[in-house]
Amino acid sequence: MHMALKFVLLTLLDRERQTGYEIVKTFESAVGYFWSASHQQVYRELSKLTDENLVKFTSIKQGDKPDKKVYRITASGKQDLQQWLQAPVKASPGKDLLLVKLLNLRAENVAVLLEELDRAIKSAEERAAVYSGIKKTYYSKEQRASLALEDLALYLALKKGIGSVAAHIKWLRETRAEIAEYGQGRE
Amino acid sequence: MHMALKFVLLTLLDRERQTGYEIVKTFESAVGYFWSASHQQVYRELSKLTDENLVKFTSIKQGDKPDKKVYRITASGKQDLQQWLQAPVKASPGKDLLLVKLLNLRAENVAVLLEELDRAIKSAEERAAVYSGIKKTYYSKEQRASLALEDLALYLALKKGIGSVAAHIKWLRETRAEIAEYGQGRE
DNA sequence: TCTCCATATGCCACTAGTTGCATAACATAG
DNA sequence: CTATGTTATGCAACTAGTGGCATATGGAGA
């Protein structure tokens, strides 16, 4: 079983009617933190989903802009989506090139790997700050108290992001310290 | 810049000479927690790396088993690897189908999503137990004290795994509780 | 004019990943 | 004998992902 993008698109179109362009924009914003796909992929998949009658579109002429196709999920599409929801998600083992780089750890590579870790720390801290800002702006205590069930997912995704980036920063710092200590002559 | 598997293979062959089969086995054990590739991919890539003179192999006849090719990295390969080490790693935004599923959150899907979360909690707890067992078996305090620099990477990978699975379990539990609370009629 | 940006869609060629199949050598169990 | 497992390698077909190119409509700036 694969076809993950299919179900991502069905999910998004189940929430609201959208153009391919809007979906691509979604992947560049909120959803982009936990899914992404190029516009070529999106249009390719939408075309297939249309052929399979899982979605349909309405063409709309826009005077000031190019024409657009607004897609919506069909009843068949809803069925497929519901079946997918019932099926267990297979967790995909991640790929972490930073850890691969650390496999190259030996005396002559210590400096370059410490640089990599410093970059990673900086980048992770920036990401943590972004998440924190999003939380403050969109999910204050009051805003969270009035969140509808349908709007909870993005908040939960944010919480996951916050928790995992914090754990990552913790690990990065400890790793950096441990390697720097080896570099000091421990080995 | 892509070709990630290329550098994973160069890294592994820089550490020790190996057959394609051994590399695949590596992806099924320790390294598999942070990288993976099918045997078809491995052989395809090894073939390309050989054509590009980044690795070379020695064919060995084995009486009781099929012949094998033992690969090793060339000087060119080492150069390529070193250049890659100097270059910043691009963090790839993850893909999280569980979060995509949560986008389907509404009253009629609460039960099925709670089931999914329960499965995820169970699975994550099992993974945490595996990591804990590995730490206890291979990385006791004494063993860690005598770890060579070259052997640190797998320990650091384990630490990362432990930290991130803990954060994940925390989030899963909080998420489950929050959704169950909505299901109790908060909405 | 060109370049960049926005909205909007699409084709093409290639790489990376997946799945199925295959061969060769051995072993064990039913 | 078949089935399963191991060690060992490889081909083929397909899907998923990436990067480049393109068109169409508009805008702004150098």
Side-chain angles (χ1 to χ4, degrees), chain A residues 85-104:
Chain A
L85 280 184
Q86 305 278 0
V89 156
K90 284 206 78 169
S92 51
K95 296 195 173 182
D96 190 336
L97 276 179
L98 179 57
L99 288 178
V100 172
K101 277 200 171 183
L102 289 183
L103 279 178
N104 292 276

Side-chain angles (χ1 to χ4, degrees), chain A residues 127 131 156-166, chain B residues 171:
Chain A
R127 195 155 27 103
Y131 291 164
L156 294 171
L158 177 65
K159 275 185 57 173
K160 179 164 189 182
I162 288 168
S164 69
V165 80
Chain B
W171 176 82

Side-chain angles (χ1 to χ4, degrees), chain A:
Chain A
M1 205 309 275
H2 220 48
M3 304 176 291
L5 182 57
K6 167 182 169 181
F7 294 108
V8 178
L9 294 185
L10 290 178
T11 291
L12 293 177
L13 293 175
D14 194 36
R15 291 173 66 90
E16 67 178 317
R17 302 172 174 205
Q18 296 181 70
T19 63
Y21 187 83
E22 281 166 334
I23 289 171
V24 171
K25 284 297 164 184
T26 293
F27 288 149
E28 288 167 7
S29 56
V31 171
Y33 289 105
F34 57 93
W35 201 270
S36 70
S38 63
H39 84 260
Q40 289 95 331
Q41 269 184 285
V42 168
Y43 289 114
R44 183 160 54 179
E45 194 65 44
L46 284 173
S47 179
K48 282 169 54 193
L49 293 176
T50 303
D51 291 344
E52 293 161 8
N53 264 308
L54 300 181
V55 305
K56 58 171 41 166
F57 66 81
T58 307
S59 285
I60 297 185
K61 278 191 175 314
Q62 312 187 91
D64 53 337
K65 306 179 251 188
D67 300 356
K68 69 180 177 184
K69 298 179 174 174
V70 180
Y71 290 86
R72 61 181 185 274
I73 192 170
T74 62
S76 270
K78 283 176 190 273
Q79 270 192 347
D80 262 29
L81 181 57
Q82 209 60 30
Q83 276 181 27
W84 175 68
L85 280 184
Q86 305 278 0
V89 156
K90 284 206 78 169
S92 51
K95 296 195 173 182
D96 190 336
L97 276 179
L98 179 57
L99 288 178
V100 172
K101 277 200 171 183
L102 289 183
L103 279 178
N104 292 276
L105 192 49
R106 54 179 184 261
E108 57 263 41
N109 291 333
V110 164
V112 68
L113 290 174
L114 286 179
E115 273 179 41
E116 189 74 64
L117 287 167
D118 286 335
R119 280 194 296 261
I121 289 168
K122 185 165 184 292
S123 167
E125 282 170 349
E126 283 164 3
R127 195 155 27 103
V130 168
Y131 291 164
S132 185
I134 293 173
K135 190 178 180 196
K136 193 171 303 190
T137 301
Y138 298 104
Y139 298 106
S140 66
K141 202 160 192 121
E142 298 78 51
Q143 288 163 316
R144 279 169 19 229
S146 57
L147 263 189
L149 187 61
E150 292 79 9
D151 299 321
L152 199 51
L154 291 182
Y155 170 63
L156 294 171
L158 177 65
K159 275 185 57 173
K160 179 164 189 182
I162 288 168
S164 69
V165 80
H168 187 50
I169 289 168
K170 182 168 184 285
W171 175 83
L172 285 170
R173 285 181 179 152
E174 287 170 1
T175 293
R176 194 210 186 287
E178 193 143 353
I179 291 173
E181 186 183 325
Y182 268 79
Q184 299 300 348
R186 159 123 176 242
E187 196 237 342

